[in-house]
């Protein structure tokens, strides 16, 4: 069956403000369609997306970080001149390369390494909380005061980078989001490309520093594991993994913590339930991941002709899998538009992906969310969202989190 076109604009501010209204309409009217403006087949159903993520052979990841806006000649030369040399390692790599890199990168990301971060994340959170509580007006932009920077500091603790680089890394990763998943003008694209190349050079210099002076951190573990053997991992691959984590490891968690706080604080009963019984936090986190995740779309490219939801799709077709829509599919989740932390299947969400590319950082993201929520509900049980605020999002297809959220207590 050939499938009709559907007007769908993932960069539209109204869509970003409430993608769930669009998803409900798509589920009812056109769960799979071709978007001419994007050049992508868009898939919204839970079962279809799970099947796509499960079958890495028919659905490759090599397009996962292709810029949606084609790179101009001037941009390409800005990247070249800046020495940008990111290699395919994880998100946009396929077997057998992905299998090799992932095996080593996952082996070094041990549960012990994550567990050892817990007291350090708690100490960081106490520091942030101390500053928040000291604000005499008893109101803050919680993104600025907490969720923007804390996840980046955690990634720095993990990889062993100095935290004074936080502002540069946060700005650098926003450039990468807009460059790769957004719709920059040709002029913006050149500027973003220069930022990306600078950011890449930081990663190169950092990995070289750790090669010369290894420490007790994840980057040094990867260098030790490599043991000067390029068939295990090359230095370029390690640099690319670190560069990848300097986006995947915090932009995602910043968005998720922010969305979670918006959802919890928008209804005092939700917040007070957690304040009264913080043991409910892990279940609430799973439901929040389902209800309002921060990575709403992933990409794949077909390696063979396929049929999805009755639509015949040729080989070499780009696919945009709307994870946010899968998490709100009424065919899988009962009353998907209702926040219900007691639902027993919340953990079926696809917010960390599924299959070969399943999120390596999921245990760390869950740990951070638990520490942050527990500390906040305990210290500020009467916190509320400032009424009448509208939220603004970075225009891009995949990473979604409000950029400013005012709360008071
Ligand atoms: C709430 C926070 C997070 C969300 C929603 C999230 C979401 C995702 C998703 C959906 C994927 C699958 C991509 C695909 O199938 O193409 C993924 C992969 C990945 N994530 Fe996360 N992530 C989060 C936090 C983290 C953290 C904290 C780290 C690192 C410490 C991390 C590192 C990665 C890496 C390296 C991959 C690529 C895995 C591969 O391609 O084999 N993520 N993440």
């Amino acid at each position: 069956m050939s499938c009709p076109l559907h007007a769908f604009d993932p960069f539209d501010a109204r869509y970003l403000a409430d993608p769930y209204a669009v998803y409900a309409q798509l589920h009812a009217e056109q769960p799979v369609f071709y978007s001419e403006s994007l050049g992508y087949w868009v898939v919204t159903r839970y079962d279809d997306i799970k099947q796509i993520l499960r079958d890495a052979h028919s659905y490759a990841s090599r397009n996962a970080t292709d810029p949606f806006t084609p790179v101009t000649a001037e941009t390409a030369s800005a990247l070249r001149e800046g020495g940008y040399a990111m290699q395919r390692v994880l998100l946009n790599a396929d077997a057998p390369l992905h299998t090799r890199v992932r095996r080593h990168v996952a082996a070094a990301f041990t549960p012990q390494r994550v567990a050892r971060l817990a007291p350090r994340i708690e100490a960081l959170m106490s520091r942030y909380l101390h500053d928040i509580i000291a604000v005499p007006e008893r109101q803050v932009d919680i993104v600025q005061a907490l969720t923007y920077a804390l996840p980046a500091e955690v990634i720095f603790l993990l990889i062993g980078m100095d935290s004074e680089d936080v502002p540069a890394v946060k700005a650098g990763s926003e450039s990468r989001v807009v460059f790769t998943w957004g719709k920059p003008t040709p002029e913006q694209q050149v500027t973003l490309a220069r930022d990306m190349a600078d950011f890449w050079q930081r990663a190169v210099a950092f990995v070289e520093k750790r090669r010369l002076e290894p420490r007790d951190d994840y980057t040094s573990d990867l260098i030790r594991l490599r043991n000067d053997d390029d068939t295990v991992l090359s230095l370029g691959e390690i640099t690319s993994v670190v560069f990848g984590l300097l986006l995947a490891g915090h932009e995602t968690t910043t968005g998720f913590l922010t969305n979670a706080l918006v959802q919890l604080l928008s209804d005092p009963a939700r917040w007070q339930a957690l304040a009264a019984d913080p043991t409910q936090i892990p279940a609430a986190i799973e439901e929040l991941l389902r209800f309002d995740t921060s990575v709403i779309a992933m990409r794949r490219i077909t390696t063979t002709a396929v049929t999805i939801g009755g639509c015949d799709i040729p080989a070499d077709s780009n696919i945009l899998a709307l994870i946010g829509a899968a998490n709100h599919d009424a065919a899988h989740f009962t009353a998907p538009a209702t926040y219900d932390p007691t639902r027993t299947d919340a953990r079926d969400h696809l917010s960390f992906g599924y299959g070969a590319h399943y999120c390596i950082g999921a245990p760390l993201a869950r740990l951070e969310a638990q520490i942050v929520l527990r500390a906040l509900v305990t210290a500020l049980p009467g916190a509320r969202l400032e009424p009448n605020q509208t939220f603004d999002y970075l225009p891009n297809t995949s990473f979604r989190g409000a950029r400013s959220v005012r709360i008071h207590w």
Side-chain angles (χ1 to χ4, degrees):
M1 187 178 95
S2 67
C3 289
L5 306 175
H6 191 288
F8 168 73
D9 181 1
F11 307 107
D12 183 77
R14 281 162 308 178
Y15 166 77
L16 287 165
D18 183 11
Y20 302 105
V22 176
Y23 299 155
Q25 195 189 351
L26 291 173
H27 283 149
E29 294 171 8
Q30 196 67 61
V32 183
F33 61 92
Y34 185 72
S35 160
E36 208 148 67
S37 60
L38 288 177
Y40 274 69
W41 287 86
V42 180
V43 184
T44 64
R45 285 265 185 231
Y46 182 95
D47 287 346
D48 293 336
I49 292 179
K50 195 162 179 178
Q51 175 56 26
I52 290 169
L53 299 179
R54 180 189 285 129
D55 182 1
H57 182 69
S58 309
Y59 301 94
S61 287
R62 64 172 184 272
N63 65 343
T65 57
D66 290 352
F68 270 103
T69 308
V71 166
T72 63
E74 210 185 339
T75 303
S77 77
L79 288 172
R80 226 179 8 258
E81 282 158 22
Y84 181 75
M86 168 78 170
Q87 291 176 226
R88 289 182 188 278
V89 278
L90 291 168
L91 201 62
N92 60 358
D94 293 300
L97 168 68
H98 174 263
T99 321
R100 169 178 58 82
V101 173
R102 169 131 184 157
R103 186 169 66 241
H104 300 304
V105 167
F109 205 96
T110 56
Q112 293 84 332
R113 183 145 294 293
V114 175
R116 272 160 53 202
L117 282 174
R120 304 178 73 188
I121 303 172
E122 272 160 8
L124 261 179
M125 183 58 201
S126 303
R127 210 186 71 211
Y128 278 86
L129 198 55
H130 175 269
D131 292 350
I132 290 170
I133 291 170
V135 173
E137 296 81 13
R138 298 167 74 91
Q139 56 179 17
V140 291
D141 171 357
I142 198 68
V143 178
Q144 208 187 335
L146 178 70
T147 59
Y148 182 72
L150 181 127
E153 293 212 46
V154 172
I155 281 302
F156 288 166
L157 290 176
L158 175 78
I159 66 178
M161 207 178 229
D162 293 337
S163 68
E164 54 260 33
D165 286 339
V166 165
V169 165
K170 288 302 289 190
S173 66
E174 280 190 11
S175 296
R176 282 166 69 193
V177 169
V178 176
F179 184 89
T180 308
W181 291 277
K183 225 175 150 182
T185 62
E187 297 74 41
Q188 283 169 333
Q189 202 183 46
V190 173
T191 311
L192 294 169
R194 291 200 183 108
D195 290 352
M196 271 170 56
D198 283 353
F199 193 48
W200 168 258
Q201 293 301 348
R202 276 171 184 271
V204 172
F206 167 67
V207 170
E208 181 55 12
K209 199 161 131 191
R210 282 293 168 275
R211 189 180 71 80
L212 297 172
E213 291 168 35
R215 289 199 193 156
D216 178 15
D217 56 44
Y218 181 67
T219 311
S220 305
D221 284 353
L222 290 177
I223 292 169
R224 277 185 212 103
L225 195 146
R226 168 180 185 264
N227 199 17
D228 280 333
D229 182 352
D230 280 352
T231 65
V232 175
L233 283 175
S234 69
L235 276 178
E237 286 168 346
I238 292 180
T239 309
S240 301
V241 168
V242 168
F243 186 74
L245 289 178
L246 285 172
L247 181 119
H250 62 88
E251 197 63 36
T252 50
T253 316
T254 285
F256 175 60
L257 292 176
T258 309
N259 294 348
L261 289 172
V262 168
Q263 295 302 344
L264 292 174
L265 292 167
S266 62
D267 176 351
R270 295 177 184 170
W271 189 252
Q272 279 153 20
L274 297 186
D277 180 7
T279 64
Q280 293 177 17
I281 288 174
I285 288 171
E286 294 313 313
E287 174 64 346
L288 289 160
L289 281 162
R290 182 199 71 79
F291 192 64
D292 202 7
T293 188
S294 54
V295 180
I296 55 174
M298 294 312 311
R299 290 190 264 170
R300 293 293 188 270
I301 184 163
T302 57
T303 60
T304 180
V306 294
T307 302
I308 307 176
C311 296
D312 297 328
I313 299 179
D316 277 324
S317 297
N318 287 312
I319 307 276
L320 187 70
L322 297 181
I323 298 177
N327 288 343
H328 277 239
D329 185 351
H332 192 88
F333 296 102
T334 310
T338 304
Y339 168 81
D340 176 7
T342 67
R343 72 170 73 235
T344 50
D345 60 353
R347 230 183 146 94
D348 282 2
H349 63 69
L350 298 178
S351 301
F352 291 124
Y354 187 81
H357 292 267
Y358 183 79
C359 177
I360 286 177
L364 180 58
R366 288 187 166 112
L367 176 69
E368 279 182 65
Q370 284 181 29
I371 292 173
V372 166
L373 289 183
R374 182 178 280 269
L376 276 179
V377 293
T378 308
L380 306 175
R384 297 270 193 287
L385 274 189
E386 279 287 318
N388 306 323
Q389 47 179 324
T390 49
F391 302 116
D392 158 50
Y393 298 85
L394 198 64
N396 79 97
T397 55
S398 301
F399 297 90
R400 182 174 174 275
R403 290 203 277 183
S404 161
V405 175
R406 293 191 316 279
I407 69 160
H408 67 103
W409 61 93

